[in-house]
Amino acid sequence: MRTIVIVGGGAGGLELATRLGDSAGKAGHARVILVDRWPAHFWKPLLHTVASGARDPQHCEIEYSAQAAGHGFEFSQGEVRAIDRGNRTIELAPWIGDDGREVLPARRIGYDKLVLALGSVTNFFDVPGAAENVLTLDSVAEAEVFRKRFVGACIQASARKAQGEPDGAAVNIIIVGGGATGVELAAELSHTARTLAKYHVHALDPVRDVRIRLLERGEYLLPHLHRRLSRRAARHLRSLGIEVRTNTAVASVGPDGMLDSAGTRHDATITLWAAGVEAPALCATLGLSVNRLRQIVVGPTLQSVSDPDIFAIGDCANFVCPVQGVVPPRAQAAHQQALFLAHALAQRAGAPPPSFKYHDYGSFVSLGPLAAVGVLAGTVKGRKYQVGGAAARLIYRLMYRKHLLALHGFARMAAHTVADWIRARLAPSVKLY
Ligand SMILES: Cc1cc2nc3c(=O)[nH]c(=O)nc-3n(C[C@H](O)[C@H](O)[C@H](O)COP(=O)(O)OP(=O)(O)OC[C@H]3O[C@@H](n4cnc5c(N)ncnc54)[C@H](O)[C@@H]3O)c2cc1C
């Protein structure tokens, strides 16, 4: 029996393991093993809602072991630190528990086919001081650190205000990068600042005292969307009291602020860096062909161009689609590639390998709990439709439901939707502790 190892249980990897386990795993045609450094999956496009406190991550995490038991695959927790391509094994670092003790020593797992679905990490573009002084949104743990720092900063500033310190009330939040992550977080944070005031967690003016500034190097926010939608998003953010500065490139970052390339200083209580992503450092150590963002170069079968036993999907892969061009690092790309590989890897030996084609179905960006903007593409005669307001918000929400549908099937997805609806009515709208 073939052993298919999938490293990374994110948007692409977990869906692939689930589909492949349900088909080849349950039928006994292949042993499917999923490896991830964490015990549970969290859908990354929701990370900004964890950072703002709008979502408790525990309510939407999926435990890998439980998913594996129901879907015919195995799960092994650990961080992959090397791959021995000659002997076709991956090497996992020792697994250290929360109390600092070793749970499992370093291990090796053999494979016949290996799928790398490692995702991406923040790209600091070598800006001096950025890596040392900013927070990032690469994982649930990092989003939680941001949330706690934000709530703490508001409480401290409120105490300074009560003592009458001049300008002591200011909380300066700088978000670097006006792409989807930066825009979505800015809008959510503005809502959180207001809710914290309503709960009397702080006594600040949520607009005047909690200053949220979004810095974007380019001329427009959301450069992947139409200019009209970029302007609409900027208008919406400004209406929330968020300062939007385009054409502002960060030159260096310090512990309490940064300098832009024009020499202007921007004070920051907290800086969040969301200026772009690159593939994890591991990708560049495997002897596989990679691009300048360390993404593994793959052909139309999603096999590495350097090793036919290794496939790469999602953010860590570089595939240039003949029709759509470079496939962007998006959840919809990871989903389509998982779907494609689930069929391709389940095929019997000797069948001609199919070719992957990327379809761009559009892109949506949340502007807080009530608004969104985006483009719906290719659904009717290949046309693109610009969508905003409540309709965009509904479509944006459906994206997560679609992910749950792929992992759980209709009945459990519907049950999750009802549970989320009830929870939203019972729990405070911002997670505080
Ligand atoms: C705040 C935010 C908002 C976003 N919004 C959208 C959106 O609206 N629409 C959209 O299409 N996309 C969005 N994205 C992008 C989207 O989340 C990614 O494109 C998608 O998650 C990529 O899926 P993936 O499977 O490649 O990687 P991921 O989902 O990142 O999963 C990678 C997995 O690999 C594991 N891993 C990494 N290295 C190792 C290792 N060495 N050993 C073991 N395990 C490892 C990680 O723990 C993780 O579980 C957003 C991203 C962010 C951060």
Side-chain angles (χ1 to χ4, degrees), residues 7-13 35-38 42 44-48 64 78-81 117-120 137 180-181 184 280 282 313-316 329-332 334 364 396 399:
V7 183
V35 177
D36 200 287
R37 56 158 75 102
W38 305 113
F42 183 89
K44 226 174 158 187
L46 297 179
L47 271 184
H48 64 284
Y64 290 121
E79 167 139 6
V80 174
R81 64 179 177 191
L118 299 163
S120 53
L137 270 194
T181 304
E184 290 183 333
L282 176 68
I313 62 170
D315 288 6
C316 74
R330 300 235 182 90
Q332 66 161 317
F364 282 81
Y396 176 84
M399 282 167 23

